[in-house]
Amino acid sequence: MEPVSSSRFASANLEPVERVLGEAVRDGAFPGAVAAAGTTTRDARFLSAGVLGESLPAPAGPDTVYDLASLTKIVSATATAMCLARDGRLEITAPVRRYVPAFRGDGRDDVTVEHLLTHASGLPAWKPLHDSIDPAMPDRERVIAAILATPLESPPGTRAVYSDLGAIVLGECLVMAGGKPLATLAWERVFGPLAMRETLYRPPATWRHRTAPTEVDRSWRRRLVHGEVHDENAFAMGGVSAHAGAFSTARDMARFAAEVIDGRRGRSVLFPREVTRTFTTRRGIVAGSSRALGWDTRSERGSSSGHHFSAGSFGHTGFTGTSIWIDPERELFAVLLSNRVHPTRENRKISAVRVRFHDALIESLEA
């Protein structure tokens, strides 16, 4: 399989992809969505459909700000980890206790940074840590303390369980290795150098008119969640975490994805080839796990990347209706941002839309 050239991508008819997005809006999969695809930043193409939300009829577009949800694990945490590993500040095989001394005892001493990145730490998938916190008074330290006291469910390296708690501990490792708060590290190491000026934690109120709202929270915050992180545990931490909290636009996400491709090509100063290939290659720590370092890889049992992305493809999804997939053989990226949780998370139509979106993209390129 050969890389897709910029000229070939620029001339491709992407109307089938637009139709997928339009049909998804009409079917109620989300109020609106924006897609970005390309091989480089220069040839990136943007497609959109629908509006920001029920009470925000402005059309969605490349400058619409979306809650990335778990894409935060990639764009902020994993990318920062790649930079710290590049600079010798973070050792992937080191025990977590080297960076977070309080993470020890009851099997924790054997947990490594690699285990956190591959979701093989033994930590539970999730806990409602926000339940004991008043949403008007976020308490990051209390959340961290609760996670550090959470028992492992299995010995590290024996089971793959997608864990928000593990990602939060990873964030603590990054803070200690980098010597600065996570939001600062992400900006200085990743967002700033890539001119991702519309990617950040806790977006300002002046952005709200172009920020897609998420869920109507009827149980904890008791209001429409708009311009603040949808994930409750991240909100309880003050809006900044390694597992959720970052906001971005399709335009910025295209910059990020193109840089990762350049890293695989050996053309990126930010993400050197060896580091990029190490992080985006399946690790195989747990038999049958599709996890690379931070990234997920295409699963033989079915993937949100559809049916046509190459076997070595890597990506990630986010609970709010976001995703990023990169095909290293075609040197192609595909980003899909939506707010499928608006007005309720019970809407689960996004899974089928993701597959149709990626299939339509590849089929359009190969028509």
Side-chain angles (χ1 to χ4, degrees):
M1 190 178 298
E2 295 182 355
V4 177
S5 67
S6 290
S7 58
R8 177 180 160 201
F9 184 78
S11 63
N13 177 12
L14 298 187
E15 288 182 5
V17 184
E18 290 184 301
R19 283 198 296 273
V20 168
L21 299 182
E23 290 167 0
V25 170
R26 290 189 290 275
D27 188 44
F30 37 62
V34 185
T39 63
T40 68
T41 301
R42 293 183 302 278
D43 70 11
R45 294 173 65 178
F46 301 91
L47 309 169
S48 59
V51 298
L52 272 62
E54 291 183 345
S55 60
L56 288 171
D63 65 343
T64 299
V65 179
Y66 283 96
D67 181 335
L68 295 181
S70 282
L71 289 198
T72 302
K73 295 181 175 75
I74 296 299
V75 175
S76 176
T78 299
T80 298
M82 291 169 72
C83 293
L84 292 174
R86 173 201 68 199
D87 296 341
R89 302 286 296 272
L90 181 73
E91 185 179 337
I92 300 305
T93 58
V96 170
R97 68 178 186 276
R98 175 186 297 181
Y99 305 103
V100 186
F103 193 81
R104 61 172 61 247
D106 297 324
R108 296 181 186 85
D109 298 84
D110 296 325
V111 178
T112 66
V113 175
E114 182 180 32
H115 288 138
L116 297 176
L117 283 162
T118 56
H119 297 278
S121 68
L123 282 166
W126 180 82
K127 288 178 71 175
L129 302 170
H130 65 282
D131 274 356
S132 62
I133 294 176
D134 184 340
M137 300 177 64
D139 191 336
R140 178 181 180 277
E141 298 306 320
R142 186 172 168 186
V143 172
I144 297 297
I147 295 173
L148 295 180
T150 297
L152 301 186
E153 293 184 333
S154 57
T158 62
R159 291 178 60 211
V161 175
Y162 181 76
S163 175
D164 275 1
L165 303 193
I168 294 171
V169 175
L170 172 65
E172 292 303 288
C173 292
L174 301 178
V175 168
M176 296 306 295
K180 295 180 181 179
L182 181 60
T184 303
L185 285 173
W187 176 259
E188 292 183 353
R189 299 277 181 163
V190 185
F191 307 157
L194 291 182
M196 294 170 65
R197 295 184 177 87
E198 296 181 315
T199 304
L200 78 174
Y201 290 93
R202 296 184 295 210
T206 54
W207 288 17
R208 194 157 299 175
H209 69 284
R210 59 187 181 97
T211 300
T214 51
E215 192 168 20
V216 178
D217 183 348
R218 302 187 186 281
S219 61
W220 189 52
R221 280 171 278 191
R222 300 186 183 279
R223 62 175 180 268
L224 170 66
V225 179
H226 185 201
E228 59 189 20
V229 61
H230 173 263
D231 183 275
E232 292 92 345
N233 284 342
F235 187 86
M237 295 175 66
V240 179
S241 176
H243 80 288
F247 288 71
S248 189
T249 64
R251 208 178 301 278
D252 269 10
M253 289 298 295
R255 290 189 179 96
F256 174 79
E259 190 72 17
V260 175
I261 290 177
D262 277 348
R264 296 275 305 198
R265 292 167 172 152
R267 301 176 187 170
S268 170
V269 175
L270 196 66
F271 304 135
R273 174 182 283 171
E274 183 179 351
V275 171
T276 306
R277 290 180 179 268
T278 296
F279 270 76
T280 59
T281 300
R282 186 179 297 188
R283 299 296 280 184
I285 291 178
V286 177
S289 173
S290 60
R291 296 290 166 180
L293 293 174
W295 297 87
D296 198 5
T297 64
R298 183 176 166 80
S299 171
E300 293 79 5
R301 297 186 297 272
S303 170
S304 63
S305 65
H307 301 91
H308 307 312
F309 270 57
S310 68
S313 297
F314 52 93
H316 211 282
T317 61
F319 187 78
T320 52
T322 58
S323 65
I324 179 173
W325 276 97
I326 295 175
D327 187 327
E329 291 190 21
R330 293 184 174 91
E331 297 187 345
L332 174 75
F333 68 81
V335 171
L336 179 61
L337 304 182
S338 81
N339 54 337
R340 70 94 190 168
V341 295
H342 180 70
T344 172
R345 70 182 67 192
E346 299 306 316
N347 182 353
R348 297 183 175 89
K349 296 180 179 181
I350 186 66
S351 296
V353 175
R354 285 173 174 145
V355 172
R356 291 198 298 270
F357 163 72
H358 292 102
D359 283 354
L361 176 62
I362 300 300
E363 289 163 8
S364 295
L365 292 175
E366 299 182 349

